[in-house]
């Protein structure tokens, strides 16, 4: 719940006044709310918690984090949902 | 030093480890508050790379672990109601209540759904107006902005069938409670990076000054954790007690202003019981009265119920850094991630789960037959 994954913003749209983005997390695409990082642009990396971007992150740092998370296999865990509980 | 190869940048890791060794002249206890950091430490064996004088004490920063049992039981009772669709982060499903968990409720026919974002629960409420959709809003300052926005959206869209069972916890009052207890052995803290991404770092300066403890804001990757420990030790050895930001790529002093504004409009500070620890004054957020219609605690009268923690579980001591998980008799024996007695064995951020995952082989507890 707390790690937060860097996601790359692929597209931005407006959902009834709330800025929403489609973001790529190392190959998995998810909806991300940009209400708290309204200055984010397509191509930016953001740290995402529970579907919300909480800050921007520079690309080098984001890629490093993603590579690390991928290696550790924690991306699925953080994206949650599918596995219904992260206990192995 | 086989672990160092896993650090992405082994040379930098080696330098940091060497600097920590060079700086250390005396014993120090450093607490990492955040469960994500506990897992990084165990997974990468960071504690084993450190000088013998440095002890890492695992803190209470696992939201799944500290959500009060009373709140879990309340969640189970609400989720079991036929008109309710109960939405939760996946981590919460196996957390044991007094009797059963959300999985048990689901297996018995309850409509329990895992969502990734609280906005997914809002969307369900919109698509299924005949259902009472309840979202289990737990977590620290990091998750709270998401839950706050879900409440605002549901309110603005007039979704009378959406409510949140809110049980947020806050880091600074927990640090305060640990230090004020007088029993704490902690000399310095690693503060959770993403909590500070949201809230900024200014809340920590009074704590560092009052209790003479360095507080280093740290990220979650192994190199971040190593660097955080290094800075903490350097401060301790120099007799300094300051707030230091070791995670500037994601943390600013003032934090995320838009998030703080929404948080302040939706939540108010309340006393909160922490599972296994007890009530910590002003350590939680609950919904403001303006949002009472979306407050599941007020909407659903579940009557009186008895709250009972399994006697064998020592999670409270684990969460306060008083014992390590493998000092618990039940660890790996009667208590495993499949059959957890306490929440700290369930969560991907819980200390017992981290020890089980990364420390079991060769530990006496494993030999007891886990
Ligand atoms: S090992 Fe199990 S029983 Fe022991 S403290 Fe941890 S969660 Fe509780």
């Amino acid at each position: 719940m707390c790690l937060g994954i860097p996601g790359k913003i692929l597209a931005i749209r407006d959902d009834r006044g709330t800025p929403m983005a489609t973001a790529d997390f190392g190959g998995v695409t998810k909806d991300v709310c940009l209400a708290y990082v309204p200055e984010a642009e397509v191509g930016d990396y953001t740290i995402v918690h529970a579907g919300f971007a909480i800050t921007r992150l520079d690309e080098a740092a984001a890629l490093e984090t993603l590579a690390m998370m991928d290696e550790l296999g924690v991306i699925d865990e953080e994206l949650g949902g599918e596995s219904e509980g992260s206990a192995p | 030093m086989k672990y160092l190869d896993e650090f992405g940048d082994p040379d930098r890791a080696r330098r940091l480890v060497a600097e920590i060794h060079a700086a250390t002249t005396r014993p120090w206890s450093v607490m990492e508050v955040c469960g994500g950091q506990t897992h990084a430490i165990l997974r990468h064996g960071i504690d084993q790379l450190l000088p013998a004088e440095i002890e890492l004490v695992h803190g209470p920063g696992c939201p799944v672990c500290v959500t009060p049992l009373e709140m879990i039981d309340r969640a189970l009772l609400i989720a079991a109601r036929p008109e309710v669709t109960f939405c939760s982060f996946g981590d919460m499903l196996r957390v044991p209540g007094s009797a059963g968990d959300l999985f048990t409720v689901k297996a018995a026919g309850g409509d329990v759904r895992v969502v990734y974002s609280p906005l997914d629960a809002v969307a369900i409420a919109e698509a299924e107006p005949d259902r009472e959709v309840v979202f289990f809003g737990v977590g620290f300052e990091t998750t709270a902005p998401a839950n706050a926005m879900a409440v605002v959206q549901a309110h603005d869209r007039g979704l009378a069938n959406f409510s949140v069972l809110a049980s947020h916890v806050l880091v600074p009052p927990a640090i305060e409670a640990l230090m004020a207890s007088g029993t704490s052995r902690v000399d310095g803290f690693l503060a959770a990076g993403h909590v500070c991404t949201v809230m900024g770092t200014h809340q920590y300066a009074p704590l560092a000054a009052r209790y003479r403890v360095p507080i280093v804001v740290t990220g979650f990757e192994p190199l971040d954790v190593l660097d955080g420990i290094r800075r903490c030790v350097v401060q301790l050895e120099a007799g300094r007690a300051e707030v230091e930001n070791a995670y500037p790529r994601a943390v600013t002093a003032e934090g995320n202003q838009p998030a703080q504004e929404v948080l302040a409009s939706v939540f108010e500070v309340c006393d909160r019981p922490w599972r296994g620890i007890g009530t910590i004054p002003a350590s939680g957020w609950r919904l403001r009265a303006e949002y009472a219609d979306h407050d599941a605690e007020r909407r659903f009268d579940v009557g009186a119920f008895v709250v009972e923690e399994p006697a064998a579980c020592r999670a409270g001591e684990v969460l306060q850094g008083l014992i390590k998980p493998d000092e618990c008799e039940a660890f790996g024996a009667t208590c495993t991630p499949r059959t957890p007695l306490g929440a700290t064995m369930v969560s991907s951020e819980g200390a017992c789960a981290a020890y089980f995952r990364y420390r079991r082989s060769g530990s006496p507890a494993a030999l007891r037959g886990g």
Side-chain angles (χ1 to χ4, degrees), chain B residues 310-318 323-336 339-346 351-353:
Chain B
C313 180
R314 299 179 67 186
E317 291 161 86
V318 170
I323 62 166
K324 295 272 182 341
D326 52 8
E327 290 171 54
C328 169
E329 276 293 312
F331 176 84
T334 52
C335 182
T336 71
T339 56
L341 292 180
T344 43
M345 186 56 96
V346 179
C352 296

